[in-house]
Amino acid sequence: MDIMEAISSRRSIRAYKNTPVDDKTLSTVLEAARMAPSWGNSQTWRFVIVKDEGIRDKLIETALRVGNRGFEACRQAPITIVACAETNRAGCRDGQPLTDKEGYWFMFDVALAMQNLVLAAASLGLGTVYVGAFDARKVGEILGLPDGFRVVAVTPLGYPDEQPEVRPRKELSEIIFYDRFGHK
Ligand SMILES: Cc1cc2nc3c(=O)[nH]c(=O)nc-3n(C[C@H](O)[C@H](O)[C@H](O)COP(=O)(O)O)c2cc1C
């Protein structure tokens, strides 16, 4: 599948078959994440692959609202991936953020790696859904994250049991400007 096909066919998947994902397929998906660009090639991302159902269920208890369908879908998928980041490297010098904003580049790095992962998964017929609405500190405690790391996002990984319609997107004319913001 070419990259544009993977981009346009990808959907957030919130229903999964219980078909297992073999190790070779999982490593292809993780390899896509590994090859993502990052600030100064800092590669601040780390991924915890959760297959243990007890740990997975504890993670889901950290949801910020009941009935988060993306998070609940981790109960059906054979794998839950928790994306973490080292916080004091991207956008930092000697462990200090270059400016207030620069301290947050770890979020960008992890997002790039996650999107590589998600698109690689889609190209292999696998489903994912970004889950962000959880207590990152509690998830970090459950997974034993060391100081200097934090949890950024979660996704189930497995074979889709639904085919959602594309969710509407803004038109290019609404989001693209030329030379100055607001100029069409
Ligand atoms: C940063 C981020 C956080 C998200 N958090 C959740 C979440 O907690 N639960 C959920 O079901 N979906 C979550 N989503 C999925 C979005 O709802 C979804 O990507 C969006 O509605 C567009 O649909 P699509 O992915 O099928 O194109 C999240 C997406 C992103 C990018």
Side-chain angles (χ1 to χ4, degrees), residues 10-14 65 68-71 129-134 164-167 169:
R10 182 214 57 83
R11 303 279 181 277
S12 288
I13 300 298
R14 299 182 176 89
R65 57 185 157 83
N68 182 328
R69 286 186 52 233
F71 218 179
V129 51
Y130 286 107
V131 177
F134 55 80
E165 292 295 311
V166 65
R167 295 201 70 189
R169 296 298 200 263

Side-chain angles (χ1 to χ4, degrees), residues 31-45:
E31 179 66 12
R34 189 174 80 91
M35 293 308 293
S38 59
W39 179 294
N41 202 27
S42 50
Q43 303 166 69
T44 50
W45 45 68

Side-chain angles (χ1 to χ4, degrees), residues 13-14 46 51 62 88 92 107 109 112 120 132 135 141 149 151 162 169-170 177 182:
I13 300 298
R14 299 182 176 89
R46 302 288 185 276
K51 294 185 180 177
T62 72
N88 58 353
C92 299
M107 296 291 276
D109 284 357
L112 295 174
D135 185 327
E141 280 169 17
F149 286 81
V151 173
E162 63 170 358
R169 296 298 200 263
K170 294 184 198 298
F177 307 129

